[in-house]
């Protein structure tokens, strides 16, 4: 059984990650904001996976067993928050919108304001009055950051889990729910009910979410937009661009030039 590291406090600082690397499963007794100002970051728990490009951050509440994974050359910024500081009032992970001001606040807060070198500390009070003022503004901005519906939940029922696994392996698989049901030994009606109860969304919604997640990871690896569109199940690049922009607020071509 894999050992899960335990940290009493979530650290604050910079953690550069090479493509495909990450931080293995661990938990901490305080909250944490994770943000990739370059690359794409995924955070996985037993409840599913959250993916965040550079205009998103991921909230990881205290006690959550999770692991990080980098997609593309990733500049990971970590902000630890005491248990009493929960500006989002959330007890579960979430993806948050990151505007220009919040982005700059996270970058400034995670670097040593004295000499620009990497800062890595578990104590949010380190750094004096100026750092405390910076942290106060950062918390204000977090309170105003809307949650983004960019969570890919994990199925528990083995029949639905088998279908989800097939789509993880090939997001472009166009089989219908009835066809998947025959493979899983159940009906499309049962799978549809399980999607709503376990995933909190319909099967088409979950499949679109899965495809967008995969698309972000492929784009982070430098794959061309048209190739990503076809690998992830869109008939045309234009259809993919429309779906991507509706979900993320910008086009795939701008994903890593922002």
């Amino acid at each position: 059984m894999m050992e899960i590291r335990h940290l009493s406090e979530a650290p604050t600082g910079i953690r550069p990650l090479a493509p495909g690397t990450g931080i293995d499963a661990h938990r901490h007794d305080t909250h944490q904001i994770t943000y990739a100002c370059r690359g794409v970051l995924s955070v996985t728990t037993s409840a599913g996976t959250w993916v965040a490009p550079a205009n998103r951050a991921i909230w990881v509440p205290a006690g959550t067993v999770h692991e990080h994974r980098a997609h593309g050359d990733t500049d990971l910024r970590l902000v630890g928050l005491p248990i009493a500081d929960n500006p989002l009032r959330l007890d579960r992970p979430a993806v948050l919108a990151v505007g220009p001001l919040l982005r700059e606040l996270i970058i400034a807060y995670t670097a040593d304001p004295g000499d620009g070198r990497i800062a890595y500390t578990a104590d949010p009070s380190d750094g004096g009055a100026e750092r405390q003022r910076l942290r106060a503004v950062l918390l204000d901005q977090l309170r105003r950051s809307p949650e983004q519906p960019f969570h890919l939940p994990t199925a528990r029922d083995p029949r639905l889990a088998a279908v989800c696994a097939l789509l993880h392996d090939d997001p472009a698989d166009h089989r219908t729910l009835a066809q998947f049901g025959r493979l899983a030994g159940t009906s499309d009606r049962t799978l549809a009910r399980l999607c709503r109860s376990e995933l909190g969304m319909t099967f088409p919604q979950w499949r679109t979410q899965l495809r967008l997640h995969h698309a972000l990871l492929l784009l982070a690896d430098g794959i061309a937009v048209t190739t990503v569109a076809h690998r992830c199940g869109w008939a045309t690049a234009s259809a993919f661009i429309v779906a991507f922009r509706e979900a993320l607020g910008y086009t795939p071509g701008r994903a890593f030039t922002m």
Side-chain angles (χ1 to χ4, degrees):
M1 183 176 179
M2 181 181 62
E3 182 178 355
I4 297 172
R5 289 185 299 115
H6 171 236
L7 304 173
S8 59
E9 294 183 331
T12 293
I14 305 172
R15 185 76 178 268
L17 294 173
T21 64
I23 304 172
D24 291 337
H26 64 286
R27 63 182 176 89
H28 23 73
D29 295 335
T30 54
H31 309 302
Q32 191 173 63
I33 295 290
T34 64
Y35 174 66
C37 56
R38 184 178 68 252
V40 171
L41 176 71
S42 65
V43 170
T44 300
T45 76
S46 61
T49 299
W50 291 257
V51 175
N55 68 342
R56 302 285 192 270
I58 301 175
W59 164 259
V60 182
T64 303
V65 176
H66 62 288
E67 60 181 58
H68 305 273
R69 195 63 49 194
H71 306 276
D73 188 22
T74 300
D75 181 3
L76 175 60
R77 304 299 178 109
L78 302 169
V79 177
L81 296 173
I83 194 70
D85 283 339
N86 186 340
L88 305 163
R89 300 291 187 265
L90 291 175
D91 59 0
R92 53 174 174 75
V95 174
L96 310 173
V98 174
L101 177 56
L102 180 56
R103 171 187 167 86
E104 295 307 317
L105 287 166
I106 293 173
I107 290 172
Y109 188 72
T110 53
D112 186 335
D115 58 14
R117 293 179 302 181
I118 290 176
Y120 209 78
T121 176
D123 187 352
S125 66
D126 286 352
E130 182 179 350
R131 185 168 171 79
Q132 288 298 294
R133 290 194 295 271
L134 180 62
R135 179 171 169 275
V137 179
L138 193 156
L139 288 174
D140 280 342
Q141 288 299 305
L142 283 173
R143 291 185 187 97
R144 300 176 184 178
S145 296
E147 184 177 350
Q148 303 296 300
F150 218 57
H151 168 216
L152 192 66
T154 298
R156 299 181 302 276
D157 186 282
R159 296 164 295 181
L160 182 58
V163 172
C164 291
L166 289 171
L167 285 165
H168 272 289
D169 290 340
D170 181 12
D173 192 327
H174 284 287
R175 280 179 287 193
T176 66
L177 199 56
Q179 290 171 319
F180 281 123
R182 286 193 287 273
L183 287 173
T186 189
S187 68
D188 56 340
R189 180 180 252 168
T190 296
L191 288 177
R193 176 179 54 79
L194 288 170
C195 283
R196 290 190 295 271
S197 62
E198 296 199 356
L199 306 179
M201 59 186 80
T202 66
F203 175 71
Q205 288 171 332
W206 186 89
R207 178 152 57 181
T208 298
Q209 196 86 311
L210 170 74
R211 288 173 171 174
L212 287 168
H213 276 222
H214 275 267
L216 270 173
L217 307 188
L218 292 173
L219 290 168
D221 288 334
I223 307 298
V225 169
T226 300
T227 302
V228 171
H230 293 308
R231 285 191 188 180
C232 293
W234 278 276
T236 65
S238 59
F240 166 55
I241 290 169
V242 168
F244 191 96
R245 184 171 52 214
E246 287 179 353
L248 289 161
Y250 54 90
T251 63
R254 292 190 59 228
F256 302 100
T257 60
M258 299 175 68

